């Protein structure tokens, strides 16, 4: 009997060597999210998710830690960038006040849809013309048109994008969104925007929710309320965009099966969860304390996921396409700011 069990135990040991534990990477991602929370508490103007990406990039290039990031921690960091991102996106649906969004009126809904469409298709077209590699044009277009890094993570799940493409796109969108916090308030008076109109412009043109809050609050609570509602309307378009990308990929890879032998789902499960969470929020059944806890969990999960994505950024590789990527980022920024400004003037 001992002889019979010996090969099995050796096989188990062999499998364990072949499958590294994700725990070191998950622990590092959790620590990164905690540090990002501390940075946000000390400097409220720095959104927690932005700090998470920057910390992930920094850790990946520190001499003492980069070997750990690229070695034993890599499986867990990659897992955080995928699985925790999905759960965080589902919880993001609980932040959607669909009834409040619809109260803005159909003219504003049409304006937001036009901004998203123009930014998405314009950025994809420009990225292809500039020759950016892989899925970077698709991912950057998604980040600019919807909600920054969270949207990039959602689309990368259905497009099967390379981790380096995802990390580079997140880094660029995060950088431009952070610059918007400083630049857009300086343009309010020259552009002749009253506080509510400025809030709508910020909500329609700035990428991440935290960056929207940081930018709009400079013009007071009225601007902040308008900005958040318009931003939530953009976030609501995440689900149909991801579903459209999934449908496009499924049509392109018709007949292709996953490693498990099953065809990919036409609508990803986390997208269905996002819509279900938004519907649950709209019923008004959830108490405020539950929504507060869900928001805290969403921030923590997305922060850990973005730390994992940031740790995959390799700056020398990013530098090789940096000029083209920066040009695309500038072009997309001009498109989303210009179209949204025109839309705000037409609907105010």
């Amino acid at each position: 009997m001992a002889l019979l069990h010996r090969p099995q135990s050796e096989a188990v040991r062999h499998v364990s060597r072949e499958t590294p534990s994700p725990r070191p990477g998950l622990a590092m991602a959790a620590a990164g999210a905690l540090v990002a929370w501390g940075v946000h508490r000390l400097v409220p103007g720095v959104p927690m998710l932005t700090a998470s990406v920057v910390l992930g990039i920094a850790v990946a290039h520190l001499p003492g830690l980069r070997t750990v990031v690229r070695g034993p921690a890599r499986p867990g960091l990659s897992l955080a960038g995928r699985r925790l991102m999905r759960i965080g996106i589902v919880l993001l649906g609980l932040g959607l006040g669909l009834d409040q969004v619809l109260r803005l009126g159909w003219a504003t809904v049409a304006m937001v849809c036009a901004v998203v469409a123009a930014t998405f298709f314009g950025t994809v077209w420009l990225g292809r013309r500039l020759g950016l590699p892989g899925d970077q044009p698709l991912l950057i277009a998604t980040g600019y048109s919807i909600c920054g890094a969270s949207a990039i993570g959602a689309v990368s799940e259905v497009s099967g994008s390379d981790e380096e493409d995802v990390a580079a796109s997140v880094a660029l969108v995060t950088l431009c969104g952070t610059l918007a916090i400083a630049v857009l308030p300086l343009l309010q008076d020259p552009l002749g925007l009253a506080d509510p109109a400025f809030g709508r412009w910020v909500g329609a043109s700035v990428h991440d929710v935290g960056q929207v809050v940081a930018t709009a609050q400079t013009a007071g609570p009225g601007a902040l309320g308008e900005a958040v509602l318009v931003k939530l309307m953009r976030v609501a378009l995440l689900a149909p965009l991801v579903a459209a990308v999934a449908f496009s990929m499924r049509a392109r890879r018709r007949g292709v099966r996953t490693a498990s032998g099953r065809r990919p789902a036409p609508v990803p499960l986390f997208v269905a969860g996002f819509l279900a969470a938004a519907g649950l929020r709209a019923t008004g059944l959830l108490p405020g304390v539950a929504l507060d806890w869900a928001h805290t969990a969403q921030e923590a999960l997305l922060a850990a996921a973005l730390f994992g994505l940031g740790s995959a950024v390799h700056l020398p590789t990013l530098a090789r396409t940096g000029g083209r990527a920066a040009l695309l980022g500038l072009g997309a920024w001009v498109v989303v700011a210009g179209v949204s400004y025109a839309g705000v003037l037409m609907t105010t």
Side-chain angles (χ1 to χ4, degrees):
M1 291 294 291
L3 291 175
L4 290 175
H5 283 286
R6 185 176 180 182
Q8 184 179 4
S9 62
E10 289 177 353
V12 170
R13 286 198 300 271
H14 178 71
V15 170
S16 66
R17 287 196 299 268
E18 292 291 328
T19 309
S21 172
R23 282 178 289 184
L26 289 174
M28 181 176 283
L34 184 60
V35 173
W37 174 80
V39 170
H40 174 64
R41 294 285 293 180
L42 289 173
V43 188
V46 178
M48 181 177 172
L49 301 187
T50 300
S52 298
V53 176
V54 174
L55 287 170
I57 296 173
V59 166
H61 293 84
L62 289 176
L65 291 174
R66 62 188 176 196
T67 54
V68 178
V69 169
R70 298 173 188 171
R74 188 70 258 155
L77 290 170
S78 297
L79 182 67
R82 295 193 310 272
R83 298 291 177 83
L84 298 187
M85 178 69 75
R86 294 178 189 179
I87 301 171
I89 289 168
V90 171
L91 293 178
L92 187 64
L94 291 176
L96 277 175
L98 295 179
D99 53 338
Q100 294 177 309
V101 169
L102 292 177
R103 263 186 242 141
L104 287 174
W106 290 108
T108 303
V109 172
M111 181 269 286
V112 171
C113 290
V115 169
V116 169
T119 305
F120 179 80
F121 291 110
T123 304
V124 169
W125 176 83
L126 181 58
R128 298 301 183 203
R129 296 279 293 182
L130 291 172
L132 256 69
D135 286 338
Q136 286 189 34
L138 169 67
L139 298 174
I140 293 171
T142 303
Y144 271 85
S145 59
I146 303 290
C147 56
S150 303
I152 291 175
V155 167
S156 69
E157 289 294 329
V158 299
S159 63
S161 302
D162 182 78
E163 190 176 26
E164 289 187 2
D165 285 344
V166 176
S169 302
V170 166
L172 178 64
V173 171
T174 299
L175 173 62
C176 292
T178 303
L179 290 175
I181 298 173
V183 173
L184 264 61
L186 299 177
L187 298 176
Q188 180 181 359
D189 289 338
L191 292 177
L193 293 173
D195 290 348
F198 175 73
R200 290 191 175 201
W201 184 47
V202 170
S205 61
V206 179
H207 320 320
D208 181 77
V209 177
Q211 294 163 348
V212 167
V213 172
T215 307
Q217 56 86 28
T218 61
L224 180 59
E226 293 285 320
V228 170
L229 288 179
V230 172
K231 180 61 188 176
L232 290 181
M233 193 183 302
R234 284 171 68 196
V235 174
L237 296 176
L238 175 62
L241 177 62
V242 173
V245 172
F247 181 81
S248 174
M249 292 294 174
R250 192 167 185 262
R252 189 181 305 174
R253 302 167 184 171
R254 191 174 301 280
V256 176
R257 295 178 182 270
T258 62
S260 62
R262 295 175 295 181
R263 294 184 186 277
V267 177
L269 184 60
F270 73 93
V271 176
F274 174 90
L275 292 173
L280 180 60
R281 165 66 186 264
T283 64
L285 296 176
L286 293 177
V289 64
L291 293 175
D292 290 341
W293 277 104
H295 177 73
T296 301
Q298 168 219 309
E299 288 276 297
L301 290 167
L302 290 180
L306 291 175
F307 180 90
L309 286 176
S311 69
V313 172
H314 188 235
L315 290 180
T317 302
L318 183 60
R320 285 197 286 272
T321 57
R324 287 174 291 165
L327 187 58
L328 176 61
L330 178 61
W333 199 359
V334 170
V335 170
V336 69
V339 175
S340 59
Y341 176 66
V344 167
L345 291 182
M346 293 173 61
T347 56
T348 299

